[in-house]
Amino acid sequence: MVKKEYHEANRKSWNAATAAHNSHKADQAKFFREGGQTLYPEEVELLGDLNGRTLVHLQCNAGQDTLSIAKLGATVTGVDISDVAIEFARKLSAESGIPGTFHRADVFDWLAETAASDERFDVVFSSYGALCWLSDLGSWAKGVAAILKPGGRVVLVDFHPFVMVFGDDWSLTYNYFGKGEPMTWDDGIGDYVALSGESLAPSGYLPGEDNFQNPHPSHEFQWPISEIITAILEAGMRLTAFKEYPYFNGAKLMNDMRQMENGRVYPPEGFPSLPMTYAIAAVKD
Ligand SMILES: C[S@@+](CC[C@H](N)C(=O)[O-])C[C@H]1O[C@@H](n2cnc3c(N)ncnc32)[C@H](O)[C@@H]1O
């Protein structure tokens, strides 16, 4: 069941966090105009040839990845619940000269409205910190299938739910099986861009907002990998790729993570390899 009250609370928390995150990023429009982009090889490989394709980026935040995808040849639409993020994305599109259409909406509302219209997409994309905000995976997957053209694909690259069993200090803390129950953080969404530095600010890192404290709590949902895959299969899509990677891209979400080659971030020294990120591609036949 979709629990919109949690999404609405998260909207406020994301509004505050998005302003803090972007305060650390130097002139992003200039970065894009001068040839910059923010995608990692994992999603570029799975997205494949996008020339002439229509793509919707669900939970696009401030649109940096959406506009980077437009540079690969797709006609892009971004959807996000955060007012601040969508306002930022529209401004970045205008100032960078990269076209993109951005909608501020709860993803469940937008999927339902689009399914009821004639608009259909070649690709649905979502990434890095997306599914944990959704209160009903089954509805999400059915909504995604409904807005794809026949032969259309969904591509997901996200933090692996396995690693979310660890607290910031890497102690075993949280359940792997979230059972669809919200996990509430009274201190809301934090300033992980400040914690990650240049690796999440490719246009250049600025001191920006100091010691950001989010006044709005946030609510997350821990979906095990089996439930993610099952939701996609039960929505009638066929899995074409499932991958796991032993690193995060860009984000230092826990203590003492090691920044290595190409923006890859690994657990602390001495840890065994862990599934940190996963990717899924599926097609609607
Ligand atoms: C970690 S960010 C994703 C960032 C993304 N990888 C990017 O390209 O920058 C998660 C995003 O999900 C959005 N979000 C959370 N719940 C949502 C919902 N119910 N509907 C639409 N967007 C939502 C937040 O506003 C936030 O921008």
Side-chain angles (χ1 to χ4, degrees), residues 95-225:
E95 291 180 355
S96 66
I98 304 169
T101 304
F102 290 94
H103 299 289
R104 196 222 64 81
D106 187 319
V107 76
F108 291 96
D109 293 339
W110 186 85
L111 286 169
E113 281 161 25
T114 306
S117 77
D118 291 335
E119 191 170 23
R120 295 294 178 268
F121 292 84
D122 293 306
V123 184
V124 173
F125 174 66
S126 205
S127 72
Y128 302 111
L131 295 193
C132 63
W133 302 107
L134 304 183
S135 57
D136 185 335
L137 268 195
S139 301
W140 169 83
K142 288 188 180 85
V144 166
I147 64 151
L148 281 173
K149 295 177 186 172
R153 295 178 298 130
V154 58
V155 174
L156 274 180
V157 183
D158 211 339
F159 302 118
H160 202 296
F162 171 73
V163 83
M164 300 306 162
V165 302
F166 296 107
D168 286 346
D169 62 355
W170 293 93
S171 58
L172 271 174
T173 307
Y174 303 107
N175 289 327
Y176 178 69
F177 296 98
K179 299 183 177 166
E181 295 299 327
M183 296 164 73
T184 294
W185 312 99
D186 289 333
D187 51 356
I189 295 141
D191 192 354
Y192 53 78
V193 177
L195 293 175
S196 305
E198 291 239 333
S199 61
L200 281 186
S203 61
Y205 183 79
L206 302 173
E209 191 156 340
D210 186 30
N211 191 26
F212 168 69
Q213 305 292 321
N214 199 323
H216 303 290
S218 60
H219 310 278
E220 286 183 57
F221 299 85
Q222 161 74 355
W223 299 110
I225 208 82

Side-chain angles (χ1 to χ4, degrees), residues 7-8 10-11 14-15 18 25 38 57-66 79-83 85 105-108 125-130 132-135 157 159 189 192:
H7 302 176
E8 205 36 43
N10 288 338
R11 178 177 68 82
W14 272 108
N15 277 345
T18 299
K25 299 181 183 180
T38 56
H57 181 185
L58 300 179
Q59 301 175 249
C60 65
N61 193 254
Q64 294 93 342
D65 285 1
T66 326
V79 180
D80 200 281
I81 201 167
S82 161
D83 319 70
D106 187 319
V107 76
F108 291 96
F125 174 66
S126 205
S127 72
Y128 302 111
C132 63
W133 302 107
L134 304 183
S135 57
V157 183
F159 302 118
I189 295 141
Y192 53 78

Side-chain angles (χ1 to χ4, degrees), residues 199-266:
S199 61
L200 281 186
S203 61
Y205 183 79
L206 302 173
E209 191 156 340
D210 186 30
N211 191 26
F212 168 69
Q213 305 292 321
N214 199 323
H216 303 290
S218 60
H219 310 278
E220 286 183 57
F221 299 85
Q222 161 74 355
W223 299 110
I225 208 82
S226 54
E227 291 186 29
I228 296 168
I229 290 175
T230 299
I232 289 171
L233 295 176
E234 287 185 348
M237 294 181 278
R238 178 170 53 84
L239 215 62
T240 56
F242 174 57
K243 301 187 178 206
E244 295 174 294
Y245 310 91
Y247 47 81
F248 288 155
N249 276 329
K252 287 184 190 150
L253 297 183
M254 284 105 134
N255 299 345
D256 303 321
M257 295 192 77
R258 291 172 299 147
Q259 165 97 48
M260 309 286 271
E261 76 291 349
N262 306 327
R264 292 176 179 171
V265 179
Y266 288 83

